[in-house]
Amino acid sequence: MNNKWYLGTGAQSDVIISTRIRFARNIKEFPFPSKLGVPERIRVNNILEKAILDCKEYDFKFIEMKTMSQLQAVSLAERHLVSPEFASSGDGRALIITEDESVSIMLCEEDHIRLQVMKAGLSLEEAYKEADEIDNAISKRLNYAFDDRIGFLTQYPTNLGTGMRASVMLHLPALSSLKQIQKLIETVSKLGLSIGGSYGEFTHAKGDLYQLSNQITLGISEKVAIENLKSIALQIAAQERAAREEVCKLKETEDKVFRAYGILKYARLLGVDEFMQCISLVRLGAVRNILNTDEALIGKLMVDMQPATISISVERPLDDKDRDELRAKLVRESLK
Amino acid sequence: MICENCKRNEANIHMKRIINASATEVHLCGDCAKALGYGGAFSSFGLGLGDLFGNFLSHTPTFSNTTAVRCSMCGNSFRDIAESGRFGCAECYETFYDKVLPSIERIHGQTKHVGKRANKENKDTHYITDTEDLKQQLDKAVEEQNYELAAELRDKIKEKVNKKDGEEKTDE
């Protein structure tokens, strides 16, 4: 896994870890996936597969979710390539993906097509451009369900219109330690955006990772929605930097960062929650030059050390303790 | 089922999330989901607050005297959509358009799509978006009495319209 998109870093990456654009699309001729039985979904997937793989300019790979183990499927969700819902059942579902995992297309999730493009750092325009081009290529080969008045037709009316969900993943350890997240949630919801834990948590996000997305999809163009999201993301990033400036004046913060580093470097059993808590502090320490740790390595560990992803990296089955032991070992070795 | 957060209200939002290498279902009431800002990476895409659509619809006055009109493609009635919060197929939107429009407006604050259009033949899928964006900017410039900018925007719109007309003629 040396060529994955998340191994790079991008603009504003001290706070903004990654960017994602998602399109929800359906084809006219078939009911939405929840109305289809498994054989019908497989039929739809085959039609979609044929059309999408015909876009030869992309190096797409087709995977039937049924052929994957539960752990492999969950690992895809941990890497944000599919939704947890999609990973929970493989029946009549398929995935189309590029080698570097920057483009993934879920077939028969809530909608027939869920296309997503991911980029490192803040890169909304570039990610949109790429998603738009793929979408155009697909639309030449399929009849999208579209209405002149209300746009792209989706299973849930919350996605009507552009069918686009743009989002950025933010690392907010300082705002989080200053207990500003609840306030942030309330503020952004008034601006037509939403923010939540990156792994779907309630308020205390693992590793202080938060996902900021546009909420409104009807009556706003893709361009304006992206501009709004970008401007709010940049404001939150500025707030986070100011908060870091404050908390890093405290000896306690420096102490916490070094203690976290110590745990990662010497622990013999490392659970995922403790790992995420520590790696978040180490990331803060690294971008503030308290620690001399490579940002890209931290990003890689944040992905690779997730429970299912770590489990599929070895051949034998692991119980919880085995997994914590392996995590401690791998983290220790990579921080040498 | 009771909401996992407040342990008081009936849970009407159910979603999957990943806890320790497995997909686990969580159950919340609408108030808690909202208060907790439940709009994470995936839940924001349809699930999450989207499920409130069912609640929205069930409060519409037309609900009580629903006739048994069914979608010709998937067989859904308006009641099916209201209860599940989701549509069965593209045709459902056509069939129940007038009934669902108020709820769509409540979700988005708008009922008119602006943005990309799906059309196999349409070469420039952003044509309408771009010109609409420009028109909005033009209105604003005029409002602010920034006539220099307004003239510039007017030229740009003209250029786009001409270019579009030219393309259509060559197509014929």
Side-chain angles (χ1 to χ4, degrees), chain A residues 79-139:
Chain A
R79 286 178 278 154
H80 299 299
L81 292 169
V82 304
S83 62
E85 164 61 30
F86 194 75
S88 67
S89 159
D91 284 332
R93 285 170 164 170
L95 178 70
I96 292 176
I97 196 167
T98 54
E99 176 61 32
D100 71 352
E101 300 181 352
S102 67
V103 179
S104 64
I105 306 171
M106 286 184 269
L107 304 184
C108 282
E109 201 236 22
E110 283 173 14
D111 295 295
H112 293 140
I113 296 176
R114 281 285 172 89
L115 160 69
Q116 78 169 31
V117 173
M118 303 228 263
K119 299 256 180 224
L122 177 68
S123 187
L124 282 160
E125 291 88 353
E126 295 81 354
Y128 176 74
K129 187 169 175 278
E130 194 172 335
D132 184 42
E133 282 167 9
I134 299 169
D135 185 46
N136 288 343
I138 298 172
S139 78

Side-chain angles (χ1 to χ4, degrees), chain A residues 16 122 168 170 212 228-238:
Chain A
I16 304 177
L122 177 68
V168 288
L170 305 166
L212 177 74
N228 287 349
L229 178 69
K230 187 176 173 182
S231 114
I232 304 300
L234 287 172
Q235 284 177 43
I236 295 174

Side-chain angles (χ1 to χ4, degrees), chain A residues 133-184:
Chain A
E133 282 167 9
I134 299 169
D135 185 46
N136 288 343
I138 298 172
S139 78
K140 285 199 185 99
R141 294 162 171 91
L142 294 168
N143 290 316
Y144 278 160
F146 181 84
D147 180 280
D148 278 333
R149 300 160 295 185
I150 51 174
F152 290 96
L153 302 176
T154 51
Q155 177 172 251
Y156 284 95
T158 40
N159 300 318
L160 280 176
T162 59
M164 180 188 78
R165 204 66 74 187
S167 59
V168 288
M169 196 199 283
L170 305 166
H171 184 223
L172 306 176
L175 287 175
S176 181
S177 79
L178 294 175
K179 314 238 178 299
Q180 296 292 305
I181 301 296
Q182 190 57 44
K183 214 172 101 192
L184 203 61

Side-chain angles (χ1 to χ4, degrees), chain A residues 58-76:
Chain A
Y58 305 97
D59 182 23
F60 287 138
K61 196 170 87 183
F62 176 87
I63 305 163
E64 265 186 74
M65 292 301 286
K66 230 17 227 172
T67 64
M68 281 197 167
S69 70
Q70 182 64 21
L71 276 175
Q72 284 172 321
V74 172
S75 169
L76 291 173

Side-chain angles (χ1 to χ4, degrees), chain A residues 227-268:
Chain A
E227 278 165 9
N228 287 349
L229 178 69
K230 187 176 173 182
S231 114
I232 304 300
L234 287 172
Q235 284 177 43
I236 295 174
Q239 278 182 34
E240 168 67 20
R241 283 186 200 113
R244 287 179 186 180
E245 199 66 48
E246 280 308 303
V247 301
C248 287
K249 281 181 191 156
L250 304 171
K251 201 70 195 165
E252 287 85 347
T253 305
E254 191 190 350
D255 179 61
K256 269 193 212 159
V257 166
F258 275 100
R259 280 170 185 271
Y261 187 75
I263 290 173
L264 295 186
K265 212 165 151 69
Y266 294 106
R268 263 39 189 180

